[in-house]
Amino acid sequence: RVQLVDSGGGSVQSGGSLRLSCVASGVTPEISHMGWFRHIREKQGEGVAAIDNDGRTSYADSVKGRFTISRGNARSTFYLQMNSLKPEDTGTYFCAAIRGPMTVVQALGVMGNGDFGFWGQGTQVTVSS
């Protein structure tokens, strides 16, 4: 039912920027939040950013002040603007749709772990020194 297509990854130098995009379709009322999570080397999936239907946001401490999640004018599209990228940000990034009632902070925490909802195919981000 819910389908997500993420894109926008690439290779940049340390300090550079990328904007990831996600197009969602088939979203139903069971979806409470949208967000992004990532898999980085030798670490399990971690939530990066989440946004609820009222525009409240939550971010991983490691990306606060550098990354911004936002919705496009078309509500089916949302973004992750990544600035001041660091080599440790290198990994595969996934957009996500999170199922069930919870706070935006909780949504951040469930992404990438178990049956939390739906996710895209992933887009690779590489940051070089």
Side-chain angles (χ1 to χ4, degrees):
R1 166 174 284 179
V2 180
Q3 294 183 319
L4 301 168
V5 179
D6 40 34
S7 62
S11 297
V12 297
Q13 298 248 43
S14 180
S17 297
L18 287 171
R19 188 180 72 161
L20 307 184
S21 300
C22 184
V23 178
S25 61
V27 176
T28 66
E30 69 178 346
I31 301 301
S32 60
H33 298 76
M34 308 300 289
W36 295 88
F37 68 95
R38 66 187 181 185
H39 286 278
I40 62 178
R41 195 167 188 171
E42 298 182 7
K43 295 181 68 175
Q44 63 182 15
E46 63 174 346
V48 173
I51 186 167
D52 69 13
N53 291 327
D54 293 320
R56 300 181 185 90
T57 58
S58 183
Y59 297 92
D61 188 65
S62 60
V63 308
K64 286 179 181 176
R66 300 190 296 123
F67 291 11
T68 304
I69 187 170
S70 62
R71 295 188 186 275
N73 290 331
R75 198 171 183 273
S76 59
T77 302
F78 64 103
Y79 305 96
L80 184 69
Q81 178 67 45
M82 304 186 295
N83 298 327
S84 301
L85 283 161
K86 305 174 180 179
E88 60 222 60
D89 294 318
T90 294
T92 305
Y93 286 68
F94 300 82
C95 64
I98 300 157
R99 181 179 60 245
M102 64 185 75
T103 69
V104 68
V105 173
Q106 290 171 321
L108 183 70
V110 302
M111 278 189 288
N113 301 289
D115 184 23
F116 68 87
F118 307 88
W119 54 90
Q121 79 281 4
T123 185
Q124 290 186 297
V125 171
T126 302
V127 185
S128 59
S129 300

